[in-house]
Amino acid sequence: MTLRIRGVALPEREERTYWIDGETLRTVPPARAAAKQVETVVDGGWLLPGLVDVHTHPGTEDPDTPFDEALLRRHLSAHRDAGVLLVRTPGTKGRMPGWVDTEPDLPRVRSAGRWLATPGRFFPGVGRDIEEGELPEAAVEEATASSGWCKIIGDWRWDEPAVPLDVMRAAVAAVHAAGGRVAVHCQTAEGSRNAVLAGADSLEHGMHLDPELLDLMAAQGTALVPTLSAFARSAERWQRREPSVKRSHWLDGWRGTLDNVRLAHEAGVTVLAGTDSFPCGTVAAESERLAQAGMPADAALGAASWTAREWLGLPGLIDGAPADLVAYDKDPTAVGASGTLGRPKRVILRGRVVR
């Protein structure tokens, strides 16, 4: 059986017909289609490359919960059912199992191995606890043992120093020399600055990021993953607290993060959608928050679809691409279409209709 798909493809907004040849997307009928039955599984509507969550932690839900493969499957299934067909896991309690990127019914996974935490900069015992001098070697080990990514905790408490710039530079340089990429957790001005100046591949959160660094980020290809959904919930709690220096500092960082989404996009920085929260499968809401923060609707959608896929090394809806796509009855960027992105009418993963 050959599957056929018709609809308006995004981001091009062109009427197109695709065929699925095994796990591959084709723009012309495969030769065997003429001799076999063809089934049209999508006929009209809007087509997107599978959604992407570039900052999610399936397999555990809090610092006290051990990593669990059954929970990992449930979390990845929730992503899939929402149309999220590719995820990046920037940090886990344990290394991902060997099956994680090849299960036919679960999203593709790009892992960054275990969180790398230098003294005083993470939940004790949750990540891989190392000394600052061990960071470059450990970063290469995690990158080569995963999907080519490693995750460094660049800072932690708001009033304590970040990983020193020279240490961060050495770690990023070592991983790049090994062909890997580096994600950095940063929630302070110093931590964000050091990650950018070190040439990190992505800033996770990026609170208190100096907007004067945005041009450098764009020039060197450092992406911003602001995880607005997770921080919005924290902002509500901070608003209810009694006034304090810490409260003012946190809320200033939150307001700056919102402003930086628009400024980063305008500067040419790749801004991407990551949830860093539970339940899994809510990246559509993160895309909407990016739009509310000032990104154009198409760019905010791309941050959770074609832009994120390209950034992670996978193409969109082109000939020869993996047959991972989602279909909708109406344009998910249209005015009044809030919530549409999280409710696809059809989900196709690895060439199979899974919903």
Side-chain angles (χ1 to χ4, degrees), residues 184-265:
V184 180
H185 164 104
C186 42
Q187 291 181 217
T188 69
E190 182 189 17
S192 295
R193 169 185 171 273
N194 288 356
V196 174
L197 295 183
D201 298 281
S202 69
L203 266 63
E204 310 301 313
H205 320 305
M207 286 188 83
H208 300 281
L209 171 66
D210 183 348
E212 292 191 4
L213 292 169
L214 293 173
D215 287 341
L216 176 58
M217 290 176 64
Q220 66 188 21
T222 299
L224 176 63
V225 187
T227 61
L228 298 181
S229 299
F231 281 83
R233 287 189 288 275
S234 296
E236 294 174 0
R237 294 192 294 270
W238 281 103
Q239 289 282 8
R240 294 192 295 266
R241 294 188 179 185
E242 292 294 322
S244 67
V245 174
K246 185 176 181 180
R247 175 182 181 273
S248 297
H249 180 83
W250 198 97
L251 290 175
D252 285 345
W254 167 241
R255 287 188 287 267
T257 298
L258 292 172
D259 290 340
N260 276 341
V261 168
R262 174 182 58 82
L263 294 173
H265 174 75

Side-chain angles (χ1 to χ4, degrees), residues 116-119 121 130-140 150 152-154 162-175 182 184 190 194-195 197-200:
L116 293 170
T118 50
R121 296 193 178 100
I130 55 173
E131 298 298 321
E132 288 181 356
E134 299 173 309
L135 185 57
E137 181 178 357
V140 171
C150 75
I152 297 173
I153 305 300
V163 173
L165 177 57
D166 61 338
V167 175
M168 186 66 75
R169 275 183 168 150
V172 172
V175 173
V182 181
V184 180
E190 182 189 17
N194 288 356
L197 295 183

Side-chain angles (χ1 to χ4, degrees), residues 42-346:
V42 178
D43 195 3
W46 300 79
L47 308 176
L48 274 70
L51 301 184
V52 185
D53 190 334
V54 301
H55 190 129
T56 180
H57 300 292
T60 185
E61 294 186 353
D62 59 64
D64 298 323
T65 302
F67 184 80
D68 180 78
E69 289 194 23
L71 185 60
L72 173 64
R73 288 182 182 274
R74 290 199 296 273
H75 285 160
L76 291 176
S77 296
H79 276 303
R80 177 205 63 209
D81 291 346
V84 180
L85 306 183
L86 172 64
V87 302
R88 183 186 61 147
T89 63
T92 55
K93 280 189 174 182
R95 295 223 174 98
M96 285 288 175
W99 55 261
V100 76
D101 188 48
T102 59
E103 287 287 284
D105 295 327
L106 295 177
R108 302 177 194 271
V109 176
R110 300 294 180 265
S111 169
R114 292 172 290 176
W115 289 283
L116 293 170
T118 50
R121 296 193 178 100
F122 201 42
F123 303 107
V126 172
R128 178 178 172 183
D129 296 321
I130 55 173
E131 298 298 321
E132 288 181 356
E134 299 173 309
L135 185 57
E137 181 178 357
V140 171
E141 289 174 354
E142 293 302 319
T144 54
S146 61
S147 301
W149 281 91
C150 75
K151 171 72 171 293
I152 297 173
I153 305 300
D155 56 29
W156 195 235
R157 296 180 178 86
W158 69 283
D159 56 351
E160 294 187 2
V163 173
L165 177 57
D166 61 338
V167 175
M168 186 66 75
R169 275 183 168 150
V172 172
V175 173
H176 285 175
R181 301 170 82 181
V182 181
V184 180
H185 164 104
C186 42
Q187 291 181 217
T188 69
E190 182 189 17
S192 295
R193 169 185 171 273
N194 288 356
V196 174
L197 295 183
D201 298 281
S202 69
L203 266 63
E204 310 301 313
H205 320 305
M207 286 188 83
H208 300 281
L209 171 66
D210 183 348
E212 292 191 4
L213 292 169
L214 293 173
D215 287 341
L216 176 58
M217 290 176 64
Q220 66 188 21
T222 299
L224 176 63
V225 187
T227 61
L228 298 181
S229 299
F231 281 83
R233 287 189 288 275
S234 296
E236 294 174 0
R237 294 192 294 270
W238 281 103
Q239 289 282 8
R240 294 192 295 266
R241 294 188 179 185
E242 292 294 322
S244 67
V245 174
K246 185 176 181 180
R247 175 182 181 273
S248 297
H249 180 83
W250 198 97
L251 290 175
D252 285 345
W254 167 241
R255 287 188 287 267
T257 298
L258 292 172
D259 290 340
N260 276 341
V261 168
R262 174 182 58 82
L263 294 173
H265 174 75
E266 292 174 351
V269 175
T270 298
V271 181
L272 299 171
T275 58
D276 191 25
S277 60
F278 297 95
C280 291
T282 60
V283 79
E286 179 70 12
S287 175
E288 289 192 12
R289 286 192 180 275
L290 293 176
Q292 292 164 3
M295 286 181 69
D298 274 15
L301 179 54
S305 180
W306 57 85
T307 303
R309 293 182 73 84
E310 180 180 2
W311 187 71
L312 287 171
L314 289 175
L317 300 181
I318 64 172
D319 189 76
D324 299 342
L325 66 153
V326 284
Y328 300 86
D329 287 323
K330 59 183 179 180
D331 182 357
T333 67
V335 175
S338 178
T340 298
L341 189 62
R343 298 191 299 270
K345 72 172 183 180
R346 186 74 78 197

